[in-house]
Amino acid sequence: MRSLRGRLGVSIGITAVLSVFLTGIVAIGLLRRYSESNARSDLTKVARAIAAEDPDTVGTTVTLPLIRRVLAINGDQAAIVTRNGSVLGNAASIVVGINLQPLIAGREISGTARTDAGNVVYVGVPISLPRRPAVTGVVLTRPVAAARGLLGPLVFRIAIAALIALAVPIAVAAVLAKRLTRPVHDVSEAAARISKGDLSQRVPISEDEELATLGVAFNNMASALAESQRREREFLASVSHELRTPITAIRGYAEAIEDGAVKGGAGHAEAVGVIRSEADRLEHMVQDVMDLARVGSAEFHLDVSPVDLTETLREAVAAHQNEAADARLALTADLPEQLVVESDPHRVRQVVSNLVQNALRVTGAGGAIGVAARAEGSAAVIEV
């Protein structure tokens, strides 16, 4: 059985069956002990009643057979024991296997023993007969089977009750297994649909805390995947747009050269310069995309060291002054004398250069672009 629901239901069912089985064994054992104890109690009462009778009649050939006939109604037997351990009459087989020494010493005895008559429950009560000093006690026995006479029907009823009781936990196990595995099934189905591209799938949140945690975690994961996909699409759209400009310029000048529209050394030099510039721009874009792809992976490294942020930003601004002048833009830097931070100077300059290039593209002629930096607590803030 491979399904979690099936295994869970079977496990709970087996546990219930074992519990009922063990409970039944313990109950039967206790009932046996109780029935034997109850038999000893009954026999003790009878034996004490016999011992309390007229001492002149107990043990005579008239009274003892009468007592035995009365006891035989329930399968019980009686024997009169003398001080030397012998038994009056022909009842010696009744006490075979029973230790009579405590009774001869004047103490009551009780227990179970294996006699010639089989396994019996027995009791012995001392008797004091002034006219018959040889008599020391009376022993009564009852077959264990008779003592447990009501146990058979009772065990049958217990078994019927146990079978009925088993139906309840088995039904509960089936319902519980279905309830516990339903959220897992929902997550499995939703995951399958997400794997096919449907990132809108979500699972209902269970009322159970552990299963609710699973549902919330899955929904958060699905939302994160959807957001990641949205950003990826936006990024690809942005990259596609950015790539069109240099590609268009390169294609335009290449076609102009091919068609002979560009004439003279100066024209060719200008065309080659534009093509080279746009090719460099494409290279930078590709490098930026590769760097972005490495972010968060083991391939992306930061060489962190103490760096003067003021000097790094000045170099980045100086690198774009000619480009700003060609676009008739004012590019200025508002920087402190020194601003030392723990960072990767190459990555900082790369980020600032990208920001300045973006500003140069979107700022109209005659505009101004400013680069500023300031300390803020234990960090530094750069603004473009």
Side-chain angles (χ1 to χ4, degrees), residues 223-374:
S223 298
L225 287 174
E227 178 65 16
S228 176
Q229 186 183 67
R230 184 188 66 80
R231 292 182 178 180
E232 180 181 353
R233 288 174 178 173
E234 290 181 353
F235 172 74
L236 291 177
S238 176
V239 169
S240 299
H241 175 73
E242 293 295 331
L243 289 176
R244 285 194 187 97
T245 301
I247 290 175
T248 300
I250 292 173
R251 179 183 290 113
Y253 276 96
E255 290 176 353
I257 294 173
E258 183 180 17
D259 295 339
V262 177
K263 298 179 180 180
H268 280 86
E270 180 183 359
V272 171
V274 171
I275 291 174
R276 182 186 299 277
S277 175
E278 294 301 325
D280 291 341
R281 185 178 174 187
L282 277 175
E283 182 181 6
H284 290 155
M285 287 183 181
V286 172
Q287 185 62 45
D288 290 344
V289 171
M290 293 177 63
D291 289 340
L292 185 60
R294 294 192 187 101
V295 172
S297 68
E299 298 179 5
F300 186 79
H301 300 286
L302 290 176
D303 297 324
V304 179
S305 62
V307 57
D308 185 357
L309 199 57
T310 298
E311 183 64 25
T312 301
L313 295 180
R314 282 176 180 166
E315 292 176 357
V317 170
H320 294 282
Q321 285 294 353
N322 291 336
E323 188 177 355
D326 292 340
R328 291 182 296 169
L329 297 173
L331 178 58
T332 60
D334 181 13
L335 304 172
E337 288 291 330
Q338 189 179 47
L339 183 57
V340 179
V341 295
E342 291 285 336
S343 184
D344 185 334
H346 173 70
R347 296 298 180 185
V348 171
R349 181 167 178 175
Q350 183 181 20
V351 170
V352 174
S353 294
N354 288 338
L355 293 175
V356 172
Q357 285 179 348
N358 290 337
L360 290 172
R361 284 197 298 269
V362 299
T363 304
I369 301 172
V371 178
R374 68 179 186 277

Side-chain angles (χ1 to χ4, degrees), residues 14-39:
I14 291 176
T15 302
V17 170
L18 289 177
S19 298
V20 172
F21 178 73
L22 293 176
T23 302
I25 291 178
V26 173
I28 291 173
L30 292 175
L31 286 173
R32 285 181 175 178
R33 294 181 61 181
Y34 171 76
S35 61
E36 293 174 5
S37 175
N38 192 51

Side-chain angles (χ1 to χ4, degrees), residues 118-188:
N119 293 328
V120 298
V121 177
Y122 69 88
V123 298
V125 176
I127 297 178
S128 178
L129 301 176
R131 295 184 181 183
R132 292 178 176 81
V135 175
T136 187
V138 59
V139 176
L140 302 183
T141 65
R142 178 176 296 175
V144 170
R148 300 174 181 174
L150 297 177
L151 193 59
L154 188 58
V155 170
F156 177 76
R157 293 175 183 175
I158 291 176
I160 296 298
L163 291 176
I164 296 175
L166 273 178
V168 176
I170 290 176
V172 171
V175 174
L176 186 61
K178 182 177 180 180
R179 179 179 178 183
L180 290 177
T181 57
R182 183 62 189 176
V184 178
H185 180 69
D186 292 341
V187 169
S188 177

